[in-house]
Amino acid sequence: MKRVFLDHNATTFPSKDVVKAITDFKDWGNPSSIHSSGRRARSKILQAKREIAKILGVSPGELSFTSGGSESNNSVIRGLVNRLISKGSTHIISSRSEHPSVYKTLTHIQESFPDIKVHYCPIDYKKGLDYNFLEETLKNNPVGLVSLMAANNETGEIYDIKKIRFLIEKHTLKSRRTYLHSDMVQTLGKMPFDIKDLGVDFASFSAHKFYALQGVGVLYHKKGSGFEPLITGGGQERGRRAGTENLMAIHAMGLQFNALKNLDSKLKEIESLRDYMETKIKSSIDRVMILASDRKRLCNTSLILIDSAHGETLLMNLDLMGFDVSTGAACSSGNPEPSPVLRALGLSLKEASESLRVSLGWSTTKEDIDSFVEHLVKVVEKIRSI
Ligand SMILES: Cc1ncc(COP(=O)(O)O)c(C=O)c1O
C-alpha cells in the first residue's frame, strides 16, 4: 500500500540531495582537532555556515549550530534571564500557543526566578493575535524579551513579526533594550522572509522541517545580541554552544538551504493544492471549520475541525488506510488530552478534540489529495453513524 504523508509540519523526509550528501560523506574528523582531518571537518562546518548565512542574508558570525528548534529556543530564553534581571527588564511577553520548547521553558523560568513576570499575549482562533495587548504591555512594563513565533505549527497562522518589532521600538525607552526572539521553525520551505527586515534579535530554525536531517538546527543571533550558553564545555561555536558539532547533519543542512532559493512558484502550487483540498472537504462534509482560513497562513497547513468526529479516531482510521496526518503537535501525540495550543486559542474541549491537522509537502500531488479526501469522507460518515 502506498502511504501518503500529510504531516510535514511534524517532520519531512530528507531530500535526494541530502541523502546523497550523507551517503557520499567522507570528511570525518573532529572539527576542533588541528590535524588535517580535523581541519577538513572544520572547513565543512564553515562552508555550511557561509551557505546558510548567504541564503538568510546575515553574517556567518550571527549563526550558531544547535541540535534543533527546541535547543535554539531554550538557549535564547534561558541564556537571557540573568541579563534581564541585572538590567531590571524583568518582564517577558509570549503566548500560550507557542511550541512547548518556548512555553514550558517560560513556565519553568517563572517558577525558578520570582523576579521574572511572563505576560501571555492572547491569540484567539477567531481574531488572531491581540496586538493591542502587546502594545499596552510594552507601554506599561519594563519588558526585556518578546518571544513570539513567526508561524504556528498547528494552525499555520503567520504572525506579523515586523509589526511586533515596530511596537517594541515605539514603546521601549532608548535606555532599555527589548530583545525580540522568534521561533521560526515552521517558516523554512513554506514562506519567504527577510530576517533583517523582520527586525528579530534571535530566530530559531530546525533542519528536519525542511527536508534535511533530524537533530540539527541553527540559531540566528543578531550581532551584539549576546546570551549565556545553555551548554557549556568546549569552545565550539565561539563558546556559544559546547559539544562536538553534528558534522554530517550540518553539512547536509547547509546543502539543503540552497533548495530554499526560488521557491515562489512551488509555494503557490502547494497553496492552491491546499485550497483545493479545503474546498473539496467543505463541499463533501457538513459541519466543518478551517481554522484561521481568513488570515495569513502557511501555504501548506490546514487545521480542520469536523463536528462529531473525534480527531484521534479519524487519525487511527486514516492511518490504517495509508494516510499520515496529525491531531495537533507531534510532541503531544500519545497524550489523550487535546492540544493545549488549540485550547489556548479559545477552542472548547470538544472542538479541540475534533481537530485534524493536514500539512502538505513539496512532493504532495493532486492524486494524494483526491485520495485523502475520498477516504476522509468515508471515515467521517462511518464515525458519525456510530
Ligand atoms: C514551532 C516549532 N518550534 C520548535 C519545534 C521543535 O523543533 P525540534 O524538533 O528541532 O526540536 C517544533 C517542532 O515541532 C515546532 O513546530
Side-chain angles (χ1 to χ4, degrees):
M1 177 174 58
K2 183 197 169 211
R3 287 204 73 79
V4 175
F5 188 79
L6 293 171
D7 198 14
H8 292 85
N9 285 11
T11 200
T12 54
F13 299 113
S15 69
K16 281 200 187 110
D17 288 346
V18 165
V19 173
K20 181 164 174 13
I22 58 177
T23 312
D24 295 349
F25 193 77
K26 294 199 178 58
D27 295 312
W28 291 109
N30 186 326
S32 299
S33 301
I34 52 175
H35 49 60
S36 310
S37 302
R39 291 201 306 274
R40 231 184 12 249
R42 167 133 307 273
S43 79
K44 287 282 167 199
I45 301 270
L46 296 177
Q47 187 189 338
K49 204 171 267 189
R50 276 195 302 272
E51 269 166 340
I52 298 171
K54 197 164 164 210
I55 286 153
L56 288 178
V58 303
S59 100
E62 293 178 305
L63 300 176
S64 294
F65 293 123
T66 66
S67 66
S70 300
E71 187 192 319
S72 297
N73 289 338
N74 269 267
S75 298
V76 174
I77 296 168
R78 294 184 190 276
L80 282 176
V81 170
N82 285 330
R83 180 174 306 172
L84 300 192
I85 293 172
S86 72
K87 303 264 183 217
S89 304
T90 49
H91 290 241
I92 296 178
I93 303 178
S94 189
S95 99
R96 292 188 203 277
S97 53
E98 290 289 315
H99 186 266
S101 55
V102 168
Y103 178 64
K104 285 198 183 162
T105 303
L106 287 172
T107 310
H108 184 238
I109 281 175
Q110 200 161 23
E111 284 163 7
S112 318
F113 298 89
D115 290 345
I116 296 277
K117 162 103 183 96
V118 184
H119 303 260
Y120 292 101
C121 185
I123 303 185
D124 183 272
Y125 76 97
K126 286 190 188 129
K127 293 182 270 180
L129 195 145
D130 187 343
Y131 292 95
N132 288 333
F133 174 96
L134 188 79
E135 190 159 10
E136 285 304 307
T137 311
L138 283 164
K139 211 191 288 181
N140 299 320
N141 302 283
V143 176
L145 171 67
V146 177
S147 179
L148 286 165
M149 62 191 355
N152 187 284
N153 45 310
E154 299 201 33
T155 62
E157 182 166 2
I158 295 171
Y159 304 115
D160 193 343
I161 300 296
K162 200 173 167 181
K163 178 169 174 174
I164 295 169
R165 166 51 81 194
F166 171 79
L167 294 176
I168 290 174
E169 294 305 317
K170 188 171 163 198
H171 295 292
T172 304
L173 300 175
K174 287 274 171 292
S175 54
R176 167 168 303 125
R177 178 142 188 201
T178 302
Y179 295 95
L180 174 58
H181 164 241
S182 187
D183 175 346
M184 297 189 64
V185 164
Q186 289 294 339
T187 59
L188 290 180
K190 296 179 190 140
M191 62 180 264
F193 61 85
D194 175 342
I195 205 164
K196 292 283 176 191
D197 188 49
L198 292 178
V200 292
D201 297 295
F202 301 99
S204 310
F205 300 100
S206 176
H208 74 102
K209 305 289 183 177
F210 67 103
Y211 311 90
L213 298 178
Q214 295 172 344
V216 68
V218 64
L219 171 62
Y220 163 73
H221 36 81
K222 190 177 164 187
K223 192 164 184 272
S225 312
F227 60 98
E228 285 172 40
L230 181 67
I231 301 174
T232 50
Q236 290 92 349
E237 296 300 294
R238 297 190 193 175
R240 291 195 188 93
R241 199 276 188 178
T244 303
E245 295 89 340
N246 190 350
L247 178 60
M248 191 171 68
I250 289 173
H251 166 63
M253 175 168 68
L255 281 181
Q256 189 58 17
F257 258 85
N258 286 294
L260 299 174
K261 290 187 219 155
N262 307 321
L263 262 188
D264 289 1
S265 61
K266 183 85 214 153
L267 300 186
K268 282 203 180 81
E269 205 183 290
I270 296 173
E271 185 167 45
S272 52
L273 202 51
R274 190 270 317 266
D275 293 348
Y276 165 75
M277 174 187 78
E278 291 183 350
T279 308
K280 234 178 143 173
I281 290 175
K282 282 190 285 187
S283 66
S284 327
I285 306 173
D286 60 350
R287 293 175 282 136
V288 165
M289 183 167 88
I290 315 276
L291 245 64
S293 59
D294 55 345
R295 293 193 297 278
K296 266 186 137 181
R297 263 188 311 160
L298 293 173
C299 61
N300 75 320
T301 309
S302 202
L303 199 286
I304 311 164
L305 304 188
I306 306 176
D307 185 42
S308 306
H310 198 270
E312 296 278 324
T313 319
L314 281 172
L315 184 147
M316 284 186 284
N317 276 275
L318 288 164
D319 186 25
L320 291 173
M321 294 166 160
F323 299 92
D324 293 319
V325 288
S326 154
T327 51
C331 52
S332 63
S333 60
N335 177 356
E337 289 297 311
S339 153
V341 168
L342 297 183
R343 295 283 285 132
L345 293 174
L347 292 178
S348 68
L349 206 60
K350 178 180 180 301
E351 286 167 329
S353 62
E354 293 175 345
S355 67
L356 199 66
R357 183 185 71 182
V358 184
S359 46
L360 283 62
W362 290 357
S363 57
T364 306
T365 62
K366 181 167 176 295
E367 288 69 40
D368 292 338
I369 294 301
D370 283 335
S371 173
F372 168 67
V373 177
E374 188 189 315
H375 286 83
L376 178 67
V377 172
K378 284 190 194 142
V379 175
V380 172
E381 271 170 18
K382 187 173 121 191
I383 296 173
R384 281 182 176 170
S385 70
I386 297 171

